[in-house]
Amino acid sequence: MSEKLICNLTFAEIKELADIVSEKKLGKIDIKVDDSRIIIEDKKTRPMIAPQSPMMFAQPQVFENAPVSATPEVQPEAPKAVAQSGNIVKSPIVGTFYAAPSPDKPPFVEVGQQVKKGDVLFIIESMKLMNEVQSEYDGVVKEICVSNASPVEFDQPVMIIG
């Protein structure tokens, strides 16, 4: 009975190489001959995982000889959300908001446009799927809260219909 050759090595020679890898703690031997390849690796050898760099945090700046003011600084107020009356259409999924069916087409709806229940208002792309969002209300589009091609979160207000 003839032994099968792998990389021109017999099974006995491959076993001998495996013993050498183990005894000498070589870790790994990689032999390639023409289209054949054999890798003998010690089972105790673990692949190296690159250490992650620690997160860098911005250091607070210290200004020496900075003028000292007796009156406290007044911080500008953050813009307040304008309370709109009407029905809020929210994103049903996480994805990307598109106002039109394609870049060369007009938007489904615009501010001031009359819409009926069942009309397509916009598209949310999620996982390469285009999901049309239909109106649940009759009324006029008062506000579009999201700009075209911007990401939206689940339950994020997208449009107000009054």
Side-chain angles (χ1 to χ4, degrees):
M1 180 172 166
S2 66
E3 286 191 44
K4 187 173 183 179
L5 295 177
I6 302 172
C7 290
N8 295 328
L9 296 173
T10 64
F11 182 72
E13 291 170 325
I14 293 171
K15 184 174 179 335
E16 187 176 325
L17 284 172
D19 291 340
I20 292 170
V21 168
S22 181
E23 289 171 12
K24 302 287 185 185
K25 297 183 174 136
L26 296 177
K28 176 176 166 179
I29 291 178
D30 188 348
I31 302 168
K32 183 174 182 186
V33 177
D34 298 325
D35 291 337
S36 298
R37 182 175 186 182
I38 184 166
I39 299 172
I40 303 171
E41 192 168 0
D42 187 12
K43 63 182 173 186
K44 295 176 186 166
T45 305
R46 300 275 185 240
M48 291 291 294
I49 298 173
Q52 294 181 350
S53 61
M55 295 191 69
M56 301 301 290
F57 295 99
Q59 295 293 325
Q61 290 183 323
V62 177
F63 296 100
E64 294 184 23
N65 301 328
V68 178
S69 174
T71 58
E73 261 187 63
V74 177
Q75 295 291 329
E77 290 185 27
K80 293 180 182 176
V82 178
Q84 288 276 350
S85 62
N87 298 308
I88 298 174
V89 180
K90 297 180 180 182
S91 175
I93 55 176
V94 174
T96 304
F97 167 82
Y98 291 108
S102 67
D104 58 334
K105 302 281 183 183
F108 290 108
V109 296
E110 295 178 350
V111 174
Q113 182 177 335
Q114 181 76 32
V115 294
K116 295 178 188 168
K117 188 175 182 176
D119 288 350
V120 176
L121 300 174
F122 53 88
I123 291 175
I124 300 292
E125 177 189 7
S126 180
M127 297 178 66
K128 308 273 186 203
L129 293 174
M130 299 298 184
N131 301 285
E132 291 183 344
V133 177
Q134 297 176 348
S135 178
E136 295 178 6
Y137 315 103
D138 291 334
V140 177
V141 177
K142 287 188 169 185
E143 183 180 352
I144 299 174
C145 309
V146 180
S147 58
N148 193 42
S150 62
V152 291
E153 296 293 323
F154 170 74
D155 219 24
Q156 176 180 343
V158 175
M159 196 173 288
I160 299 175
I161 297 176

